[in-house]
Structures are given as structure tokens and as C-alpha cells.
């Protein structure tokens, strides 16, 4: 399904934009990856002794595969609710930069803060990737409705998969469940590689992949954080170095260069040749 042109009459109403957002879940392979992932989460909820209603509630309200796995595993192992909440909260910090990067794309001068609450809840890895792909083709005044539709479609698909996984848990081999859960990070990696448009994006991705095996040898417990921050910092440095002309940020260089040019202009022609 191709989105209408920005000036199409189909964008005139918020209801039409919402429906277009729901329909957009069928335009990406990530929907299938998400479906398979939540089959695994439904199976995990069954194996750890949680009810189907509780599993569906975690999908609807937590809405983040890794955080749900943490929640299920911690509560299933006998941890307290407070301990599980802290673990899930720490895991959710990784989504904060995604929220910060998406919300400015939704705002208009008339947007009220309460209108951004639901889109902020929907922002996870899949929706974050798809927003960068789809929102440039959506009129700004309809982006909130479109994102709500996209998020509603993805959550509905995940709820369906949670039910299927829960019911199939008795017949789903453990190794298959683990393989299904692995699809999410693999899909995110491939989507990130596809969306690399600048040199800094490529540098960050390549360095992150290269540094992680080395950092993991240190057994710090935060290997991904260290390798990610290091790779991102280096990539930002490369971007800053490419974007800044030395004449703009180095006064000494600028004055020396100007003096050299002035002397070159004033030098007699026969001396220059």
C-alpha cells in the first residue's frame, strides 16, 4: 500500500490518517518479525505460569519485547514487584532517545502535550524505524493520527501473536522459541543498516559491531553500553570534523590563511611565476 501524495484529499481528516497508519503495518517486513517475536513472548508467559490476560496486559502496557522478557523472567524467578519494576525501568531508558527523536517530527504549533502521550507510549524499536521511513510522506498536521494508527496496528498484531504463542506453548520447542526472540535484534540491525545514509551512521554501526566482541572480553556487565557509547562518540567526532571547516573554528588558521592569500595577491606576477 503506497501512501497518498502530501496534497491528496485523503489526508484531510484525522480518521483517514489513522486508517492509513493502521494499513501501513502491512508495508514492512518488521510486522512479521514482531509477530514472530510475540509468539515467543506468549509462549514464555505460558511457561513461567502467567495467565493469558496478564500476558496480553503486559503486551499492551509494557509494549517492548526485551522489557517484557525481563518482567516475565524476574517475576517468574521469584523477584518482588519493586525489583521487577526497577529492572524494566532501567531497560526502558534505551527508548528515551527514540522518543526524543520522534516527537519533534509530530509536533505543530497547535499541538498540545496531552496529544503526544499516546504516540510516546507506542514508540519502540519497530515504530521508531517505521516513523523515519513513513513520516516524511505524511502531512505534519496528520502525523499524530497516522502514528496512533500505526501504533494501534502494531500492538493489535502483537496481541494476536501473544495469544497464539500462549496457546501453542505446549507444542513449541524451547530452541525455536529462543530463535524467534532473536529475530527482533536481527531485524533492528538490518533496518539500521538499511537506513544508514551518512558516513557517521556507517561508522557508528561498523564500530559498534567491531568493538562489542572486544569489550565483552572485559566482562563489565555493560558491554553493549560501553561499545555503543564509544562507537557513537567516535562517529559524532567524524561527523563534526567533516562538517566544520577549519577556517570557521580555528582563528589562527583563518588568519594565517588570509595572510597567505593576501601576500599571494600582492606579489608581482613574475615573482609568482
Amino acid at each position: 500500500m503506497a501512501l497518498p501524495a502530501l496534497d491528496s484529499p485523503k489526508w484531510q481528516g484525522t480518521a483517514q490518517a489513522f486508517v492509513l497508519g493502521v494499513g501501513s503495518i502491512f508495508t514492512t517486513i518488521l510486522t512479521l518479525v514482531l509477530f514472530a517475536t510475540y509468539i515467543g513472548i506468549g509462549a514464555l508467559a505460558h511457561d513461567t505460569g502467567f495467565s493469558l490476560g496478564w500476558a496480553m496486559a503486559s503486551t499492551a502496557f509494557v509494549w517492548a519485547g526485551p522489557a517484557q522478557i525481563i518482567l516475565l523472567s524476574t517475576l517468574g524467578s521469584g523477584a518482588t514487584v519493586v525489583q521487577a519494576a526497577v529492572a524494566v525501568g532501567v531497560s526502558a531508558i534505551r527508548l528515551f532517545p527514540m522518543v526524543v527523536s520522534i516527537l519533534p517530527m509530530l509536533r505543530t504549533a497547535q499541538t498540545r502535550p496531552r496529544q503526544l502521550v499516546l504516540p510516546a507510549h507506542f514508540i519502540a524499536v519497530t515504530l521508531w524505524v517505521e516513523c523515519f521511513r513513513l513520516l516524511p510522506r505524511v502531512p505534519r498536521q496528520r502525523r499524530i493520527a497516522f502514528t496512533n494508527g500505526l501504533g494501534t496496528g502494531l500492538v493489535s498484531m502483537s496481541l494476536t501473536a501473544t495469544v497464539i504463542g500462549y496457546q501453542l506453548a505446549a507444542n513449541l520447542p524451547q530452541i525455536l522459541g529462543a530463535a524467534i526472540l532473536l529475530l527482533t535484534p536481527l531485524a533492528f540491525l538490518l533496518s539500521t543498516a538499511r537506513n544508514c545514509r551518512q558516513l557517521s551512521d556507517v561508522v557508528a554501526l561498523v564500530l559498534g559491531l567491531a568493538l562489542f566482541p572486544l569489550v565483552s572480553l572485559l566482562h563489565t556487565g555493560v558491554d553493549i553500553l560501553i561499545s555503543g557509547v564509544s562507537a557513537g562518540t567516535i562517529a559524532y567526532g567524524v561527523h563534526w570534523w567533516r562538517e566544520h571547516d577549519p577556517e570557521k573554528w580555528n582563528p589562527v588558521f583563518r588568519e594565517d590563511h588570509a595572510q597567505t592569500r593576501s601576500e599571494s595577491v600582492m606579489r608581482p606576477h613574475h615573482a609568482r611565476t
Side-chain angles (χ1 to χ4, degrees):
M1 182 190 71
L3 291 178
L6 290 174
D7 57 352
S8 172
K10 294 182 178 180
W11 292 115
Q12 290 183 356
T14 56
Q16 294 95 319
F18 182 88
V19 171
L20 288 170
V22 173
S24 295
I25 69 172
F26 300 106
T27 67
T28 173
I29 191 64
L30 293 181
T31 300
L32 295 178
V33 174
L34 197 66
F35 188 84
T37 299
Y38 274 89
I39 287 179
I41 290 177
L44 178 63
H46 178 277
D47 291 342
T48 48
F50 292 96
S51 66
L52 177 59
W54 194 96
M56 294 180 66
S58 71
T59 297
F61 295 110
V62 178
W63 180 229
Q68 285 177 255
I69 294 173
I70 293 173
L71 182 63
L72 292 168
S73 59
T74 52
L75 291 179
S77 62
T80 65
V81 174
V82 175
Q83 291 172 327
V86 171
V88 172
V90 171
S91 171
I93 293 175
R94 65 190 173 87
L95 301 177
F96 181 72
M98 300 181 190
V99 176
V100 172
S101 63
I102 292 298
L103 291 188
M105 300 173 66
L106 306 181
R107 285 198 190 102
T108 65
Q110 293 76 34
T111 300
R112 297 179 180 179
R114 66 172 180 268
Q115 295 175 283
L116 299 174
V117 173
L118 187 58
H121 169 67
F122 284 140
I123 295 174
V125 172
T126 303
L127 189 133
W128 175 70
V129 171
E130 289 307 299
C131 279
F132 275 99
R133 182 175 71 93
L134 297 173
L135 286 184
R137 291 183 277 166
V138 178
R140 180 170 285 272
Q141 66 273 18
R142 295 291 177 254
R143 288 182 179 179
I144 292 179
F146 179 86
T147 302
N148 287 338
L150 180 61
T152 300
L154 291 174
V155 172
S156 300
M157 185 72 69
S158 300
L159 287 170
T160 303
T162 301
V163 175
I164 294 174
Y166 193 92
Q167 300 298 335
L168 293 178
N171 301 316
L172 191 67
Q174 187 175 5
I175 189 171
L176 179 59
I180 288 175
L181 293 177
L182 186 62
L183 287 175
T184 296
L186 286 178
F188 180 55
L189 175 63
L190 294 176
S191 300
T192 303
R194 181 190 65 182
N195 291 332
C196 288
R197 306 186 186 279
Q198 299 182 6
L199 177 62
S200 57
D201 299 333
V202 177
V203 171
L205 181 61
V206 172
L207 282 180
L209 294 174
L211 289 176
F212 176 72
L214 300 177
V215 176
S216 62
L217 297 176
L218 301 176
H219 303 289
T220 61
V222 287
D223 306 332
I224 296 178
L225 178 63
I226 294 175
S227 57
V229 170
S230 301
T233 302
I234 295 173
Y236 176 78
V238 171
H239 174 75
W240 186 90
W241 179 75
R242 284 172 56 86
E243 292 295 322
H244 287 72
D245 186 346
E247 294 188 31
K248 296 178 181 179
W249 56 265
N250 191 332
V252 176
F253 182 92
R254 183 172 62 246
E255 293 173 3
D256 290 347
H257 185 60
Q259 183 177 358
T260 302
R261 291 187 59 185
S262 177
E263 291 175 356
S264 177
V265 172
M266 296 178 62
R267 189 181 305 164
H269 176 74
H270 63 84
R272 295 200 300 270
T273 58

